[in-house]
Amino acid sequence: MAFQLEDEYESLLLARQQKYPVLKKPGQEIQEIVDILETNGMVIIKDAFEPQELISLGAELAPLFEDPSVTQPKVVDNTLYMTKIVQPLTKNNRLVKLATHGALEEIAMTYLKCAPGLASANVRKTFPHDGPLFGNQNFHVDRNSKRFIKFFFYLNDVDINGGPFTYVAGSSDQKFEDWDKHYNWPPDSIEKIYGVDRIIPATANVGDLIIANTTGFHRGMKPKTTPRTMITFNYMVHPESAAHTRFQVSKDAYENIPLERRYLLDFLEVTE
């Protein structure tokens, strides 16, 4: 089976629709964003958020990267490739506020055709290095669900040398034979299959919003000059499978969300 809970997806979607009959007709701008996602699998919205707000959030998160008790580094052959904040939604309430922003809710609701649920959140810093590509610096497909949506926020400006998220346009619907034989595919293999013109580096600045259906082929390019710090939020129609760590949210952040919108967080474990 290529995707987790693939056979159950339609029944899980229907159950979500019946549990929360909140689906509403989107505005024109939201519908246009979703139409691009349906065609290309990725869209970049310039100046979607106030840069200073994200810079301020990044400043609050920065000390956590220096705390070994709340981070998980990725080290290969004595090279630090990446580090992430463990259970970030329990560490900063502003992060929860960003994750549940009304624009994200409306886009996810329109794309998923139901009340969306936040299933996971990651805050990662990826470092320049001289080693080979590791893990998700190769092309891969996220198999968390048959269909879901991921939001990306850079906390520093990212040009082509800064390790941008990179997507193969249209690949969520156009797979090749035996695409799921391997998890990681080297860039040259994917370039030969899809063509260089379909491989889109998502260079963007703080305040821009990147949205993707990451069941298409994608990777994070290796930073060459400066570290890349990035926030991602996955919205789904069902919780992450048992194979994934269940993400948590702090109780006070959860209670700050109005009752009528708490469906956004009901895939998460609420902690003190």
Side-chain angles (χ1 to χ4, degrees):
M1 188 179 299
F3 298 102
Q4 294 171 16
L5 302 175
E6 183 173 6
D7 290 343
E8 298 94 336
Y9 181 85
E10 295 302 331
S11 62
L12 290 166
L13 172 59
L14 179 60
R16 189 78 176 169
Q17 291 169 334
Q18 292 174 338
K19 184 176 182 180
Y20 300 113
V22 296
L23 194 63
K24 56 186 177 182
K25 183 177 176 63
Q28 181 179 347
E29 184 178 6
I30 297 297
Q31 188 61 60
E32 289 174 354
I33 291 168
V34 169
D35 288 346
I36 295 171
L37 277 172
E38 294 285 8
T39 302
N40 294 336
M42 182 187 77
V43 62
I44 303 172
I45 305 172
K46 303 298 290 184
D47 303 317
F49 286 79
E50 175 56 48
Q52 194 55 48
E53 287 296 313
L54 291 169
I55 291 170
S56 173
L57 175 59
E60 291 182 11
L61 295 171
L64 296 175
F65 283 111
E66 308 302 320
D67 184 348
S69 69
V70 298
T71 53
Q72 182 178 327
K74 176 71 174 180
V75 179
V76 178
D77 295 331
N78 295 317
T79 297
L80 176 64
Y81 287 87
M82 179 270 292
T83 189
K84 69 176 183 180
I85 298 171
V86 177
Q87 296 291 359
L89 298 176
T90 66
K91 307 295 190 302
N92 186 287
N93 288 356
R94 287 180 64 192
L95 193 63
V96 180
K97 184 177 180 180
L98 179 64
T100 56
H101 190 280
L104 274 61
E105 176 185 13
E106 190 172 357
I107 292 167
M109 181 181 293
T110 305
Y111 187 74
L112 296 173
K113 299 179 174 62
C114 70
L118 180 64
S120 59
N122 282 291
V123 183
R124 295 187 173 105
K125 179 180 283 190
T126 305
F127 300 94
H129 61 85
D130 295 326
L133 300 181
F134 88 95
N136 59 16
Q137 291 178 347
N138 293 285
F139 280 103
H140 60 285
V141 167
D142 291 345
R143 307 187 189 189
N144 310 52
S145 181
K146 178 181 175 181
R147 179 180 171 91
F148 70 103
I149 188 170
K150 182 175 285 190
F151 297 92
F152 301 76
F153 295 86
Y154 294 148
L155 295 183
N156 57 283
D157 294 347
V158 176
D159 61 15
I160 196 65
N161 293 314
F165 169 77
T166 301
Y167 193 85
V168 181
S171 61
S172 58
D173 295 322
Q174 299 170 13
K175 301 289 197 302
F176 51 88
E177 185 176 359
D178 292 332
W179 67 270
D180 55 350
K181 185 176 181 180
H182 306 290
Y183 183 75
N184 289 320
W185 292 82
D188 58 349
S189 295
I190 295 299
E191 289 173 4
K192 289 176 183 176
I193 293 167
Y194 287 103
V196 175
D197 290 346
R198 289 179 62 179
I199 298 175
I200 312 299
T203 54
N205 296 327
V206 178
D208 299 341
L209 174 62
I210 303 166
I211 314 169
N213 171 358
T214 54
T215 65
F217 277 97
H218 62 284
R219 74 185 185 109
M221 292 177 66
K222 182 169 69 171
K224 295 180 180 179
T225 52
T226 57
R228 182 201 69 207
T229 306
M230 184 170 70
I231 298 168
T232 61
F233 303 122
N234 283 1
Y235 270 95
M236 299 168 59
V237 307
H238 57 76
E240 295 279 8
S241 75
H244 288 76
T245 299
R246 187 176 182 191
F247 277 75
Q248 300 172 344
V249 62
S250 65
K251 183 178 179 181
D252 57 336
Y254 176 81
E255 291 178 345
N256 281 335
I257 303 298
L259 280 171
E260 66 272 17
R261 299 182 69 233
R262 286 186 189 170
Y263 60 77
L264 293 169
L265 302 178
D266 66 357
F267 295 156
L268 306 178
E269 177 185 355
V270 180
T271 63
E272 294 294 340

